[in-house]
Each structure stands twice: as C-alpha cells, then as structure tokens.
C-alpha cells in the first residue's frame, strides 16, 4: 500500500531546509539563544558536504552545554541522523524537537516519516494529521499519508475518517486517494459506502477505467458477480487489459451462467494464435452456450494443429445432441480411426447409424460397445430394440 512518494517529498523537504537555513534562523531569530545560530549554520554546512557525523558532533556539543535546549537544534540533529541512515536516532532527536515545539510543521512531518519507516503507524498517522491541521496552507497529501499510515497499522476506522475528510474537502480527487478509501471500506466490510462513493465519482468520470475496476472489486466482495462483470466490461472497453484479466472475466461469466460472453472473453484472452488446449477451452465454452457451429469451428482449428480422437469425439457429441446424425457419424468414424478402443464412440456411432437407417453398421457398433462394461447395458438394450424392430418388419413383409 505504501508508495515511495512520501519518501521523495520528505527528502525534498530536508534539502530545502538545508539550503535555506539562514532564512529559517532569521524567521526565529528572536527565540535563538546566543551561539545557536553559529552552531546550526556550521552543522548545515557539514550536512551539505555529507559530513553527517561532524554535524551531529557540533549540535551535540552545543546541547551538552546548553541549559535551555531549542527545537531547531534537535531538528537539525534529527536530519543528520536520518541522512546518516540511523532512523532510530533520528526518531529520538525529532521526538524531542516535537516535544519542545509541537507546532513546528517541518519536524512534525519528518517525525511522521521516521515513525512510518519504523512501523509506528498509529503515531505516524497522528503526526501527519497534526501537520495538516497546523499548516497555513494545508497539503491534502498529508491527509492521504495519515490515512495510509492508519491503514498500514490496521486502524481502519481512523483511516476511513481521515480519507473521507480528504475526499469531502477536495474537488480534484486523485485516484490513489479514492483507491485507498475503497480498500479501507472493504476492510471494514462497508460495501454500500464504497459503492456509493464510486458511483458518485463515475457520474463525473465515466471514462476512468480505474474507478470501474474498483467498482467491480467492491461488487465481487459482496458476491454481486453480475454487477462486477458489467463494471469490468466497461473498464476493459475503456482500457483493454492484459490477457489474464480477460480470463478472469470469463471465469466470472461462467460462474454466473453466461457462457457466450465467457467464450468471447476467452477469444480476447488467448489472442490471435491460441494453443490447441486454449482452442479446446473456447470450443467447450461455446458448446455450453449451445453455439454448435462456433464450438465445432474451434475444435476443428485445434485438430488442424494436433489431431486427436478426443476432439473428434467432442465434435461428434455436439452433432449427436442436435440430431445431426450424418455429421455425428463422420466425426465418430474419424475418432475411431485414431482410437478404436473407445466404448462411447462405438455406442454413439451405433445410435447414429440406427437413426440413419443403417441397421448393419448400428448392430456392428453396438455390439462393439457392449464389450465395454461402462456401456454394456445401454448397448445391449439398444441391440434388443433393434432386433425386435427388425423382426417385426420381417413379419410384415
């Protein structure tokens, strides 16, 4: 959840403070004890040269002699420790500076940053929020960072309150803000709240695919699979996704019993050159949608790449179910050429032949099917019916 933007912002803040130390000192000149200005200027010069230990020595020496510590001294000491790669020492220095002057915004922000680095998420969130409240020109990113800290600390109630405030107080809402707010609502299982805010934003930003995707996530959480599929369809029309995303949408359509849309998603997922196995998957899905021609088309493409008895059998079953006996017979014969030891293929060929009036082939194939235990009863029953019918016909003639 945490992004690197905060680190960049705080690090830039360090550089600005280092480069303008004289301005800061001038602004607080009336509060500075004798000798503090000189120490801070020298410490900042040392920091500019990346002599962090030297800067620390200068400030520490001053503080050891001083009867009345100043927040700027501890602030610069914190900067030196942080830039020297010692966040725990920086935390101690910033914390003391904050205790001396909790209204000093720079130390509040830097202490919040270090708290976050040290996984003190509740403290970081409180500090970012305080920094926002004491700012002359509040930076909304501070509210976002407060929400992120609370979220990381699993303080979802606090995160939601801060982020909801952020969204309500700003007209130009960033996607990252809304995304974190929605994820927070999901953690709290407040599906309606999340969907309400998303739908409000979608009224103004209908072409933002990110919001549609977030809406789909919310609906999936509440088991509204149909609604999720609709949202994803819109999102993917606006911004075509990766192939595996189409596959996920296909799975949703299959789950809710819309195989035709699932098949079309799989076509997009597998692209222009699908493997034989992927062609089988598309064919099977079209078969579930009762699109015989499309299913046969994809099985046929798979056969051209990798002939197999099982694919011919799948084609035959499609034809058989739809009473297309001639087509089924041809497909079954092709299947048996590749694998003559398939009891189901013999059984279906026997049935198809009987429906076409080919009694000789029907008897032959049903007799072959009766040798397989799984199909024996069906085959023998069919043979009995055929024989009885033939006897009646003979008696009539």
């Amino acid at each position: 959840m945490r992004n690197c933007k905060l680190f960049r912002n705080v690090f830039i803040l360090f550089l600005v403070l280092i480069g303008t130390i004289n301005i800061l000192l001038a602004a607080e000149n009336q509060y500075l004890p004798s000798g503090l200005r000189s120490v801070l200027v020298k410490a900042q010069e040392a920091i500019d040269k990346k002599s962090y230990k030297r800067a620390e020595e200068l400030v520490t020496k001053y503080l050891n002699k001083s009867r009345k510590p100043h927040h700027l001294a501890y602030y610069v000491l914190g900067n030196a420790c942080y830039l020297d790669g010692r966040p725990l020492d920086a935390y101690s220095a910033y914390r003391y500076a904050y205790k001396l002057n909790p209204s000093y915004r720079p130390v509040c922000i830097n202490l919040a940053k270090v708290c976050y680095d040290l996984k003190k998420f509740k403290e970081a969130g409180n500090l970012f929020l305080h920094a926002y409240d004491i700012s002359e020109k509040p930076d909304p990113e501070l509210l976002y960072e407060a929400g992120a800290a609370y979220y990381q600390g699993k303080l979802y109630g606090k995160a939601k309150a801060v982020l909801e405030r952020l969204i309500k107080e700003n007209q130009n809402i960033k996607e990252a803000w809304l995304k974190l707010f929605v994820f927070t609502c999901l953690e709290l299982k407040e599906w309606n709240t999340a969907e309400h805010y998303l739908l409000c934003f979608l009224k103004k930003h209908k072409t933002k695919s990110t919001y549609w995707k977030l809406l789909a996530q919310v609906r999936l959480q509440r088991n509204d699979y149909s609604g999720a599929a609709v949202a994803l369809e819109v999102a993917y029309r606006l911004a075509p996704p990766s192939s595996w995303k189409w596959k996920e949408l296909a799975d949703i359509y299959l789950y809710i019993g819309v195989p035709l849309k699932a098949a079309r998603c799989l076509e997009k997922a597998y692209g222009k050159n699908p493997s034989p196995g992927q062609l089988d998957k598309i064919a099977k899905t079209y078969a579930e949608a009762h699109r015989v021609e499309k299913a046969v088309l994809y099985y046929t493409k798979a056969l051209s790449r990798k002939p197999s008895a099982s694919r011919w059998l799948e084609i035959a079953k499609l034809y058989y179910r739809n009473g297309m006996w001639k087509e089924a017979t041809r497909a079954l014969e092709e299947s048996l050429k590749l694998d003559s030891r398939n009891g189901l293929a013999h059984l279906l060929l026997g049935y198809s032949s009987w429906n076409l009036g080919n009694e000789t082939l029907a008897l032959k194939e049903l007799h072959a099917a009766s040798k397989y235990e799984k199909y024996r009863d069906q085959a023998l029953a069919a043979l009995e019916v055929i024989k009885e019918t033939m006897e009646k016909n003979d008696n009539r003639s």
Side-chain angles (χ1 to χ4, degrees):
M1 176 56 60
R2 175 66 167 176
N3 59 26
C4 62
K5 186 174 182 180
L6 173 60
F7 177 82
R8 292 199 302 271
N9 287 344
V10 174
F11 193 71
I12 290 171
L13 177 61
F14 284 146
L15 297 179
V16 171
L17 290 174
I18 291 167
T20 58
I21 188 65
N22 288 327
I23 296 174
L24 288 171
L25 294 176
E28 301 202 19
N29 188 50
Q30 57 182 320
Y31 305 106
L32 295 182
S34 176
L36 178 57
R37 171 190 287 274
S38 176
V39 169
L40 294 182
V41 169
K42 290 178 181 179
Q44 294 294 167
E45 289 174 351
I47 290 175
D48 286 337
K49 297 175 182 179
K50 299 185 178 181
S51 299
Y52 306 128
K53 289 286 194 300
R54 175 58 180 162
E56 183 182 357
E57 290 171 1
L58 287 167
V59 177
T60 302
K61 184 177 180 181
Y62 170 82
L63 289 171
N64 288 336
K65 294 180 179 180
S66 175
R67 294 182 178 179
K68 189 177 181 180
H70 195 279
H71 68 275
L72 275 181
Y74 281 99
Y75 175 68
V76 174
L77 177 61
N79 287 353
C81 292
Y82 184 86
L83 293 172
D84 195 37
R86 291 151 46 215
L88 279 172
D89 291 334
Y91 173 76
S92 297
Y94 286 143
R95 189 171 174 79
Y96 204 91
Y98 179 76
K99 181 179 179 181
L100 292 172
N101 188 357
S103 296
Y104 187 51
R105 183 175 179 272
V107 77
C108 186
I109 292 175
N110 288 1
L111 178 56
K113 165 67 175 74
V114 174
C115 284
Y116 198 106
D117 289 349
L118 296 174
K119 302 187 186 304
K120 299 176 181 289
F121 297 120
K122 181 179 180 179
E123 188 175 354
N126 292 341
L127 287 162
F128 280 124
L129 183 57
H130 181 59
Y132 177 85
D133 288 332
I134 65 176
S135 300
E136 289 184 13
K137 294 182 179 180
D139 181 0
E141 286 295 326
L142 291 173
L143 281 183
Y144 171 69
E145 297 297 351
Y150 288 138
Y151 183 90
Q152 288 286 56
K154 298 183 179 181
L155 301 165
Y156 302 121
K158 284 181 172 290
K160 185 197 170 193
V162 169
L163 294 167
E164 197 161 20
R165 176 183 174 186
L166 172 63
I167 291 170
K168 288 180 177 179
E169 291 181 3
N170 292 273
Q171 291 184 343
N172 298 320
I173 308 302
K174 295 185 178 181
E175 288 184 8
W177 302 354
L178 182 59
K179 188 177 292 187
L180 181 57
F181 177 73
V182 170
F183 288 158
T184 301
C185 289
L186 294 182
E187 292 289 349
L188 293 169
K189 294 181 171 53
E190 295 186 9
W191 325 121
N192 291 336
T193 301
E195 183 158 346
H196 168 74
Y197 274 90
L198 283 168
L199 290 174
C200 287
F201 283 107
L202 283 168
K203 288 180 181 179
K204 299 179 181 179
H205 307 282
K206 294 180 180 179
T207 59
K208 284 283 189 179
S209 63
T210 300
Y211 296 164
W212 288 104
K213 291 175 187 176
L214 283 173
L215 180 60
Q217 289 187 48
V218 171
R219 288 175 172 174
L220 284 172
Q221 289 293 326
R222 60 196 301 189
N223 297 325
D224 179 10
Y225 297 104
S226 296
V230 170
L232 287 175
E233 283 277 10
V234 176
Y236 295 168
R237 281 201 298 270
L238 293 170
S242 58
S243 59
W244 67 273
K245 288 289 186 180
W246 282 116
K247 177 66 169 57
E248 283 187 342
L249 182 53
D251 290 339
I252 293 174
Y253 277 130
L254 285 173
Y255 183 79
I256 62 177
V258 189
L260 182 58
K261 288 192 174 183
R264 290 168 180 168
C265 288
L266 288 175
E267 288 175 329
K268 295 174 182 177
Y270 297 144
K272 295 181 179 180
N273 189 31
S275 67
Q278 291 170 338
L279 289 166
D280 288 341
K281 178 66 174 176
I282 298 173
K284 181 181 178 182
T285 308
Y286 270 121
E288 289 182 29
H290 305 291
R291 296 299 179 95
V292 177
E293 289 185 6
K294 292 287 280 186
V296 170
L297 172 65
Y298 278 100
Y299 277 130
T300 303
K301 287 182 179 180
L303 281 167
S304 68
R305 300 269 298 278
K306 190 176 181 180
S308 73
S310 61
R311 290 191 176 97
W312 279 115
L313 181 58
E314 290 302 321
I315 291 174
K317 288 193 286 187
L318 285 169
Y319 285 141
Y320 182 85
R321 293 190 194 110
N322 287 274
M324 302 169 71
W325 316 119
K326 287 183 180 180
E327 292 82 355
T329 297
R330 285 195 294 268
L332 289 164
E333 288 173 342
E334 291 295 332
S335 178
L336 288 167
K337 284 180 184 178
L338 296 172
D339 181 10
S340 62
R341 295 173 297 178
N342 190 305
L344 179 58
H346 285 294
L347 182 68
L348 294 180
L349 184 52
Y351 288 155
S352 298
S353 301
W354 173 245
N355 280 290
L356 288 171
N358 189 338
E359 298 169 351
T360 303
L361 183 57
L363 291 170
K364 174 188 172 185
E365 294 301 325
L366 289 170
H367 180 71
S370 68
K371 295 180 180 179
Y372 298 86
E373 184 178 356
K374 185 176 181 179
Y375 306 105
R376 182 174 300 144
D377 292 342
Q378 293 171 269
L380 292 175
L383 284 169
E384 187 66 28
V385 171
I386 293 173
K387 289 176 181 178
E388 288 178 1
T389 303
M390 291 174 67
E391 288 177 0
K392 289 180 181 178
N393 291 335
D394 288 341
N395 293 332
R396 289 174 185 171
S397 60

